[in-house]
């Protein structure tokens, strides 16, 4: 008995030790990490003496700091941002804070500021860059290669790995997406004293620029970032990370999509549960059930995760009564909820969705006796919601639901839209339409590109020219047919075949251009890249390409192919999400 007890004790110790080792290996990301630190943008180069800033019609010599910030605004004079009042006010407020006492005393109104000379100077500099000789461009290319070689790689566990963003962002004016309340604010220059370096203890610590020192040097092998600092607009940490094509990033991506795939096995029971929750006697459980339904059906973000309180952006859990309107009947549909709120990056989410009758009843109950600014889901938080989801399936969060629904939508749409006999161009249009369905689901919008109208005009001119060429080719074909009929010969037969092929070739070219026109028009205000890079399992796209003989280069560019190298290598044409 004593021997048995000793054996059991030994087994318990081994299990505890094994658990600790596993815990350590789960959290430790690397054993050795060495790099050169970030590359800092060059210091400001003052304007030539003949380029003036004018205030109230008079030239004013600005101090270097004030002048640099003036150039940020001047460069954007032909941009829509500088016409927006919020942008102007934020810029002028931050600019005045950086001015000398004398400059503040003089410069009091933005409308009296004349940046036109500075703007013209930078337009001319831009033209000079465009008109560089081949030799001048080669010098710049060689300098870029030298910087990449010096700063763009690190040694991770003895292997040379590419770094994602080794260049620190230069100072400038914050733009933001949508109608962001902080647009126009000054993004300050990052100094070495703002930067924390992360490397292994036995490595050579990167040297800071001359005359400077790092904020801190740490040796944390549970994180994968190489350098970190706080940006001043939102006060959030920013990082220099490994390139998406690195082994660590690839493993993390694979795990993310495998978690989303596991949800497929659990989603039916989770849906049954949240439907049961709609009729619970406890208000908190009812609210949780409706919130999970919205996250599942509409791919809404959870909400409550933002740090920037000045931007009134919301997600599912932070919706207010004013963000929804209930319609018993609307556009021939019953029980419609009209959503209207600012989502992530201040992008407007507007949607009219028919919901199940019990959800509609619950929403009426949730808004009863509440003011417009009151929370719709006042009994739940994102933390509690994610805790419930994690109990349903380990690792499940609202974001996993979003990835699951995005990937499922792409898979279903590709299966539905791709048919036999399609040309490669038609298949690509089908792929983009499937991707667009996901982007709409996830509310990935963009403003129409500035060059959109011009590029569409050029494309339409090409289409018109191609139609004219087809008409001309048809006339020539008709003449060739007549000539062959009147005096048949080998020569006339060859000419006829040549003219037939020309008409066929021109017809295919026209179809290709028309498909491009359709695709471009449909993508005008939809951002396809966000979902493609962050929410869609790349194995779906890779398998589709292999199955339908579409070159992978038509779907993923070089950077994306590097990021998803793991998926390209491991996926065959039979993969289904």
């Amino acid at each position: 008995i004593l021997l048995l007890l000793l054996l059991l004790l030994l087994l318990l110790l081994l299990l505890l030790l094994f658990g600790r080792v596993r815990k350590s290996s789960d959290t430790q990301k690397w054993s050795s990490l060495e790099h050169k630190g970030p590359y800092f943008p060059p210091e400001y180069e003052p304007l030539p003496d003949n380029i003036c800033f004018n205030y109230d019609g008079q030239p004013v010599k600005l101090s270097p700091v004030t002048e640099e910030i003036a150039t940020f605004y001047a460069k954007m004079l032909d941009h829509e941002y500088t016409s927006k009042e919020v942008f102007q006010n934020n810029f002028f407020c931050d600019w005045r804070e950086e001015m000398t006492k004398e400059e503040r005393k003089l410069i009091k109104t933005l409308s009296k500021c004349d940046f036109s000379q500075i703007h013209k100077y930078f337009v001319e500099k831009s033209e000079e860059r465009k008109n560089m000789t081949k030799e001048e461009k080669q010098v710049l290319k060689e300098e870029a290669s030298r910087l990449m070689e010096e700063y763009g790689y690190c040694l991770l566990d003895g292997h040379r790995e590419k770094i994602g963003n080794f260049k620190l962002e230069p100072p400038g004016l914050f733009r933001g997406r949508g109608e962001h309340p902080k647009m126009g604010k000054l993004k300050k220059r990052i100094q070495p004293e703002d930067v924390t370096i992360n490397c292994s203890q036995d490595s050579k610590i990167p040297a800071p620029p001359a005359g400077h020192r790092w904020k801190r040097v740490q040796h944390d092998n549970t994180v994968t970032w190489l350098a970190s600092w706080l940006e001043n607009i939102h006060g959030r940490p920013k990082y220099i990370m490994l390139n998406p094509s690195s082994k660590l990033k690839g493993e993390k991506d694979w795990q993310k999509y495998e978690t989303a795939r596991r949800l497929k096995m659990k989603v039916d029971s989770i849906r049954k549960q949240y439907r049961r929750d709609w009729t619970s006697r406890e208000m908190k459980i009812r609210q949780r059930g409706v919130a999970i339904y919205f996250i599942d059906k509409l791919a809404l973000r959870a909400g409550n995760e933002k740090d920037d309180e000045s931007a009134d952006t919301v997600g599912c859990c932070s919706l207010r009564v004013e963000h929804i309107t209930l319609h018993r009947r609307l556009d021939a549909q019953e029980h419609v909820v009209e959503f209207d709120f600012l989502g992530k990056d201040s992008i407007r989410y507007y949607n009219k969705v028919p919901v199940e009758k019990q959800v509609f009843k619950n929403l009426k109950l949730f808004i009863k006796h509440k003011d417009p600014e009151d929370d719709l889901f006042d009994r739940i938080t994102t933390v509690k919601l994610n805790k419930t989801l994690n109990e349903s399936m380990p690792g499940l969060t609202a974001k996993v639901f979003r990835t699951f629904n995005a990937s499922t939508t792409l898979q279903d749409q590709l299966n539905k839209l791709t048919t036999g006999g399609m040309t490669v161009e038609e298949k690509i249009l089908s792929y983009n339409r499937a991707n667009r369905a996901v982007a709409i689901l996830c509310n990935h919008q963009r403003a129409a590109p500035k060059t959109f109208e011009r590029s569409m005009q050029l494309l339409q001119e090409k289409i018109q020219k191609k139609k004219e060429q087809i008409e001309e080719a048809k006339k020539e074909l008709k003449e060739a047919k007549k000539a062959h009929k009147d005096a048949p010969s080998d020569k006339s037969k060859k000419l006829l075949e040549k003219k037939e092929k020309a008409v066929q070739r021109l017809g295919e070219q026209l179809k290709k251009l028309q498909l491009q026109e359709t695709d471009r028009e449909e993508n005008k205000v939809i951002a396809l890249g966000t979902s493609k890079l962050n929410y869609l399992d790349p194995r779906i796209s890779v398998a589709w390409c292999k199955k339908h003989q579409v070159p992978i280069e038509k779907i993923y560019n070089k950077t994306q192919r590097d990021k998803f190298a793991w998926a390209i290598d491991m996926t065959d044409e039979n993969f289904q999400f």
Side-chain angles (χ1 to χ4, degrees):
I1 289 168
L2 188 63
L3 186 62
L4 189 62
L5 284 169
L6 283 167
L7 282 169
L8 284 169
L9 187 63
L10 183 63
L11 183 63
L12 187 63
L13 284 167
L14 284 169
L15 284 169
L16 282 168
L17 183 64
F18 179 69
R20 280 182 184 171
V21 168
R22 277 202 59 181
K23 192 176 178 185
S24 168
S25 65
D26 286 345
T27 54
Q28 183 177 320
K29 302 291 193 297
W30 46 264
S31 299
S32 66
L33 174 63
E34 187 171 312
H35 55 92
K36 283 287 187 83
Y39 173 75
F40 288 84
E43 291 298 317
Y44 174 62
E45 190 178 310
L47 293 167
D49 292 334
N50 64 320
I51 305 299
C52 286
F53 163 78
N54 291 294
Y55 185 75
D56 203 11
Q58 298 299 314
V60 178
K61 183 65 181 170
L62 300 173
S63 63
V65 172
T66 309
E67 184 184 90
E68 182 182 20
I69 299 166
T71 65
F72 301 155
Y73 192 84
K75 287 174 185 176
M76 293 179 68
L77 276 188
D78 56 357
H79 203 288
E80 186 191 354
Y81 277 104
T82 49
S83 66
K84 295 182 179 181
E85 192 179 347
V86 175
F87 190 94
Q88 293 171 357
N89 292 341
N90 284 336
F91 159 72
F92 196 61
C93 180
D94 281 9
W95 189 32
R96 276 177 57 80
E97 279 182 23
E98 302 298 322
M99 289 178 185
T100 64
K101 195 184 285 185
E102 291 74 23
E103 287 167 340
R104 260 197 304 272
K105 200 172 175 182
L106 172 68
I107 303 168
K108 291 181 178 177
T109 313
L110 183 62
S111 59
K112 292 182 179 181
C113 297
D114 180 3
F115 301 92
S116 58
Q117 280 194 43
I118 305 174
H119 174 72
K120 188 184 173 195
Y121 170 74
F122 283 108
V123 168
E124 287 169 358
K125 293 287 279 184
S126 177
E127 284 302 312
E128 282 174 21
R129 278 194 299 276
K130 286 178 189 173
N131 298 323
M132 276 181 172
T133 63
K134 193 177 177 182
E135 291 74 26
E136 287 170 330
K137 286 177 182 175
Q138 185 60 32
V139 171
L140 291 181
K141 194 176 178 182
E142 284 169 7
E143 176 60 15
S145 297
R146 186 190 67 77
L147 290 177
M148 169 61 82
E149 196 60 36
E150 185 175 354
Y151 293 95
Y153 294 90
C154 68
L155 277 177
L156 183 82
D157 292 341
H159 297 283
R160 194 169 184 254
E161 292 273 13
K162 202 172 182 183
I163 297 170
N165 53 333
F166 65 88
K167 288 184 177 181
L168 290 178
E169 196 177 356
L173 301 180
F174 177 69
R175 300 185 184 193
R177 286 191 275 183
E179 296 300 316
H180 202 289
K182 289 195 172 187
M183 64 167 73
K185 288 189 74 63
L186 174 65
K187 290 190 293 182
K188 294 183 178 178
R189 186 178 288 275
I190 301 153
Q191 300 292 350
E193 287 75 11
D194 303 318
V195 177
T196 297
I197 294 291
N198 192 36
C199 58
S200 53
Q201 211 151 6
D202 58 348
S203 70
K204 185 183 177 184
I205 295 168
H212 291 276
R213 58 186 178 81
W214 301 121
K215 179 182 180 180
R216 191 166 71 250
V217 175
Q218 66 176 46
H219 314 290
D220 184 356
N221 62 9
T222 66
V223 296
T224 55
W225 54 264
L226 285 67
S228 171
W229 64 95
L230 285 179
E231 52 87 23
N232 67 288
I233 301 291
H234 307 101
R236 292 175 188 158
K238 290 258 188 168
Y239 303 97
I240 286 181
M241 309 286 284
L242 292 167
N243 189 275
S245 62
S246 70
K247 183 170 173 279
L248 279 177
K249 286 277 192 180
E251 284 176 1
K252 198 175 176 184
D253 267 357
W254 176 79
Q255 286 167 0
K256 176 175 84 172
Y257 292 116
E258 280 302 295
T259 303
R261 284 184 86 202
R262 279 194 289 117
L263 177 55
K264 187 170 61 173
M265 314 305 292
K266 293 276 188 179
V267 74
D268 287 341
S269 62
I270 291 168
R271 285 169 177 164
K272 281 176 188 172
Q273 182 56 54
Y274 70 55
R275 279 181 165 79
R276 282 196 294 270
D277 290 346
W278 295 344
T279 53
S280 170
R281 297 180 68 172
E282 200 175 339
M283 182 64 79
K284 178 177 75 176
I285 293 173
R286 281 196 185 207
Q287 288 192 3
R288 187 183 70 200
V290 173
I292 296 174
Y293 168 74
F294 282 163
I295 285 166
D296 181 17
K297 183 178 171 69
L298 303 175
L300 293 184
R301 290 183 175 85
N304 287 343
E305 62 274 275
K306 73 177 193 306
D307 303 314
D308 180 14
E309 292 304 323
S310 68
D312 185 22
T313 59
V314 297
C316 186
C317 293
S318 47
L319 284 169
R320 297 193 294 273
V321 174
E322 63 189 325
H323 294 137
I324 66 163
T325 307
L326 303 179
H327 304 277
R328 187 173 291 283
R329 190 170 180 79
L330 182 71
D331 301 331
Q333 292 179 309
E334 291 190 339
H335 309 119
V336 175
V337 182
E338 186 178 354
F339 292 89
D340 193 356
F341 61 89
L342 288 182
K344 188 182 176 187
D345 295 320
S346 298
I347 299 292
R348 185 187 182 201
Y349 181 91
Y350 182 77
N351 203 358
K352 288 184 272 192
V353 190
V355 298
E356 297 191 32
K357 189 176 180 180
Q358 188 58 49
V359 171
F360 193 83
K361 278 184 175 180
N362 278 326
L363 289 169
K364 285 180 77 175
L365 189 64
F366 299 163
I367 66 177
K368 200 174 179 181
H369 306 306
K370 283 183 182 176
D371 293 325
E373 63 274 10
D374 289 341
D375 287 338
L376 178 65
F377 300 115
D378 55 329
R379 308 287 177 91
I380 60 170
T381 64
T382 306
V383 174
K384 288 176 182 174
L385 184 90
N386 279 331
K387 189 182 175 189
T388 302
L389 291 174
N390 195 58
E391 286 166 1
S392 305
M393 185 190 102
L396 180 59
T397 63
K399 190 168 185 179
V400 174
F401 248 116
R402 196 169 160 84
T403 304
F404 166 77
N405 280 316
S407 293
T408 302
T409 300
L410 181 73
Q411 185 75 76
D412 293 346
Q413 287 292 311
L414 286 177
N415 292 346
K416 180 180 163 186
L417 296 172
T418 317
T419 56
M422 281 181 158
T423 63
V424 169
E425 287 74 28
E426 287 171 327
K427 289 171 188 173
I428 291 165
L429 180 63
S430 293
Y431 180 88
N432 286 342
R433 282 178 169 163
N435 194 353
R436 189 154 45 249
V438 176
I440 290 166
L441 174 74
C442 295
N443 198 41
H444 292 148
Q445 300 178 36
R446 64 172 183 174
K450 278 169 67 178
T451 56
F452 179 78
E453 295 301 333
R454 179 66 185 142
S455 66
M456 281 297 278
Q457 187 186 338
L458 290 171
L459 188 56
Q460 283 157 1
E461 285 171 6
K462 278 186 183 177
I463 289 169
Q464 186 55 40
K465 193 175 178 183
K466 195 62 67 180
K467 283 179 178 176
E468 289 166 7
Q469 287 173 348
I470 289 172
E471 285 304 310
E472 187 61 35
K474 281 181 177 176
K475 279 181 191 175
E476 290 177 6
L477 175 61
K478 193 176 178 182
E479 288 169 6
K481 278 182 179 176
K482 189 176 183 299
H484 182 63
K485 188 179 178 183
D486 293 344
S489 67
D490 288 345
K491 189 179 177 182
S492 67
K493 188 182 177 185
K494 281 179 184 176
L495 181 65
L496 178 61
E497 287 171 356
K498 185 182 174 184
K499 295 299 178 185
E500 282 173 343
K501 283 177 183 175
V503 170
Q504 186 183 350
R505 186 178 67 252
L506 287 167
E508 287 168 0
Q509 289 170 354
L510 175 64
K511 190 176 181 182
K512 199 172 177 179
L513 288 169
Q514 287 170 331
L515 286 170
Q516 277 181 34
E517 183 187 28
T518 304
D519 201 25
R520 211 174 281 183
E521 181 61 48
E522 289 178 0
N523 287 338
K524 184 178 177 180
V525 292
I526 301 292
L528 300 183
T530 309
S531 49
K532 191 190 275 188
L533 286 179
N534 300 304
Y535 292 103
L536 298 176
D537 189 329
R539 291 171 292 183
I540 301 168
S541 302
V542 173
W544 179 83
C545 284
K546 289 180 179 179
K547 185 175 182 178
H548 297 284
Q549 289 85 50
V550 176
I552 197 79
E553 297 81 13
K554 298 283 185 183
I555 302 301
Y556 291 133
N557 62 31
K558 173 73 169 67
T559 306
Q560 292 164 346
R561 293 198 300 276
D562 288 345
K563 175 179 169 67
F564 296 133
W566 61 271
I568 293 167
D569 291 343
M570 74 186 291
T571 310
D572 66 22
E573 65 175 50
N574 299 313
F575 175 87
Q576 290 280 310
F577 180 78

